[in-house]
Amino acid sequence: MVKVPLTLSAVSPLAFAVLATLAFAGTGCSKNEKPEERGSAPPPVVESAKPGACASGGGTVDDPVQGEFFVRTAGGYCLEPQGDTKTYGDRGKLTMDQVCTTAVDGECEVYKSYGLKRAVIVRYVDGGGGGGSVEVVLTTFGDPGGAYGMFTKRVIADADPADARAPKPITAGGAGALGNGRGYVWKGPYLAELTYLNEQESPEQITKSSAPVLTAIAEGLGGKLPGSADKPAAAQALPTANLVPNGIQYFPKEVLGIARLGAGAVGYYKDGTKRYRIVSLVRDDADVAKDAMKLLRQRPGTLPVAQLADEALHLTLQDAPDRPKSEYVVARKGTIIFGVGDEDLVVKPGEPAEKQGELRLSKDEKIARLRTWILAAAGVPAAPAADAGKR
């Protein structure tokens, strides 16, 4: 459980920022969460800034390691003058263990599982005295894959990225997203999470007024973050046609929830009424890719698929007992493994076959599309079209 202070005066920037944005699987949007609650900002807990707070150009970030990553002003907001910068972990004022003990109870272990090494928490305030503030939590991970994985976890949040209320892409860093009162920026080993708060505004007003300032701060921060903007190889390999905006989730390990399967990306796709997912694994060596296929082949009910790439199989996966089963066709070409499967977020258990057919690709459709996708990803030229005059 998150430990919430009982009074406004007792709320530290760390406590409510971690409460709002350093939440893990237990606090993200679950499959049972009401749609209208997704991406909404947490209850406001910050005292309003006075008019003219940014007259001197804003405050500074007291952190010799990453202080220069933060813009002083953006979108009419500025770093809080005399603001208290919280730094944790590597070369920070406090230890990573203190993140766990001062703000959350156990949940930070999930962040650590992605390789969390450091955290910096700062606050921006409204220079016009409108009562708004933005908390920014900048986390540093051991490698870009861990940071990108955590970014996609926060954006997808176990929900459907094709939903109208899902976070929308913004141009910031290597990847950015804007939700209702929240923003996210990824680049290299860094993830920034932004939360807008204003105790003077209604939820509807927050939705409207938060977007410009969150976008401005995210763009400024994304422009200063060092490191590569290139996504992990498995995410880059995913086909772009019909990919839902921000519809990629990256797993640094155990993609598809399968132990020892290793890193991979899952893309969410929509083609008319059809919904599907594509899983992508990219290995440095063909033998390692073969081992991954061998691991999949050991799952109960898996069947071979003939004449598809170097090797292929058909298997059934199920996220949980109360979720519908998803059928996948998986193929390997050299070091690349692709699998195309059903989108279980749009199919209800026990739904009539006719309705499922409107939403899912058939096995033959999966095989046909998969053959094209995996050959393209492996750099194999498409076969020349047959001469129309020949019979």
Side-chain angles (χ1 to χ4, degrees):
M1 291 291 294
V2 176
K3 299 177 181 178
V4 183
L6 298 179
T7 64
L8 298 187
S9 61
V11 176
S12 68
L14 166 67
F16 93 84
V18 176
L19 170 64
T21 58
L22 280 185
F24 290 78
T27 59
C29 301
S30 70
K31 297 180 178 69
N32 297 322
E33 183 180 70
K34 296 180 181 179
E36 64 270 23
E37 294 176 351
R38 184 179 179 195
S40 60
V45 295
V46 182
E47 295 183 1
S48 302
K50 296 180 180 179
C54 299
S56 62
T60 59
V61 177
D62 180 22
D63 179 22
V65 181
Q66 297 172 336
E68 63 182 20
F69 297 169
F70 298 88
V71 294
R72 293 187 67 191
T73 63
Y77 280 58
C78 67
L79 285 169
E80 183 182 23
Q82 293 82 47
D84 183 20
T85 302
K86 301 290 186 181
T87 57
Y88 295 81
D90 184 26
R91 298 175 64 186
K93 300 174 185 176
L94 303 168
T95 68
M96 288 310 304
D97 288 338
Q98 287 175 292
V99 171
C100 304
T101 58
T102 60
V104 297
D105 185 6
E107 289 174 347
C108 56
E109 294 303 319
V110 180
Y111 258 53
K112 289 181 179 181
S113 73
Y114 280 80
L116 180 65
K117 301 296 183 184
R118 196 171 199 272
V120 180
I121 302 175
V122 302
R123 183 161 73 117
Y124 287 82
V125 295
D126 185 355
S133 67
V134 176
E135 289 288 336
V136 179
V137 180
L138 176 66
T139 45
T140 305
F141 293 78
D143 57 66
Y148 183 67
M150 199 67 226
F151 167 81
T152 64
K153 180 178 178 65
R154 301 300 291 146
V155 173
I156 297 293
D158 293 329
D160 186 355
D163 190 287
R165 292 170 290 267
K168 302 299 187 292
I170 58 174
T171 303
L178 180 68
N180 184 13
R182 297 180 181 179
Y184 309 92
V185 181
W186 163 80
K187 188 178 181 184
Y190 305 103
L191 168 63
E193 302 177 62
L194 295 71
T195 302
Y196 175 90
L197 298 170
N198 194 324
E199 59 187 354
Q200 300 177 16
E201 294 181 340
S202 67
E204 293 76 17
Q205 290 172 321
I206 285 176
T207 299
K208 182 177 180 179
S209 59
S210 65
V213 62
L214 288 175
T215 301
I217 295 175
E219 290 176 347
L221 183 59
K224 285 179 168 288
L225 289 175
S228 174
D230 293 337
K231 297 179 177 65
Q236 292 188 54
L238 286 169
T240 57
N242 301 321
L243 179 64
V244 172
N246 272 334
I248 298 177
Q249 187 160 8
Y250 181 74
F251 299 84
K253 56 185 178 181
E254 296 187 0
V255 63
L256 295 176
I258 299 175
R260 298 183 288 115
L261 189 55
V266 176
Y268 293 70
Y269 292 81
K270 181 176 183 179
D271 184 6
T273 62
K274 302 281 188 176
R275 294 294 305 278
Y276 54 95
R277 297 187 190 185
I278 300 177
V279 58
S280 166
L281 290 76
V282 178
R283 299 294 181 254
D284 295 332
D285 182 88
D287 288 336
V288 178
K290 291 178 183 178
D291 289 340
M293 290 293 288
K294 185 183 299 183
L295 191 64
L296 292 174
R297 200 175 293 112
Q298 294 172 355
R299 298 186 66 83
T302 299
L303 298 172
V305 175
Q307 299 180 340
L308 179 57
D310 293 338
E311 56 178 321
L313 52 85
H314 177 271
L315 76 161
T316 301
L317 300 175
Q318 188 174 21
D319 285 349
D322 61 338
R323 302 302 305 278
K325 293 181 179 180
S326 298
E327 295 185 5
Y328 275 79
V329 177
V330 183
R332 179 187 67 83
K333 183 66 178 178
T335 61
I336 297 175
I337 296 173
F338 270 5
V340 56
D342 303 318
E343 177 52 79
D344 68 357
L345 291 172
V346 298
V347 176
K348 298 178 180 178
E351 200 152 37
E354 181 179 353
K355 180 63 175 178
Q356 292 190 26
E358 296 175 0
L359 301 174
R360 293 181 168 184
L361 298 176
S362 67
K363 181 179 178 181
D364 288 342
E365 287 177 316
K366 291 172 184 174
I367 291 174
R369 297 192 186 200
L370 185 57
R371 179 175 285 111
T372 300
W373 293 328
I374 196 165
L375 291 179
V380 178
D387 189 335
K390 293 181 179 180
R391 295 289 183 268

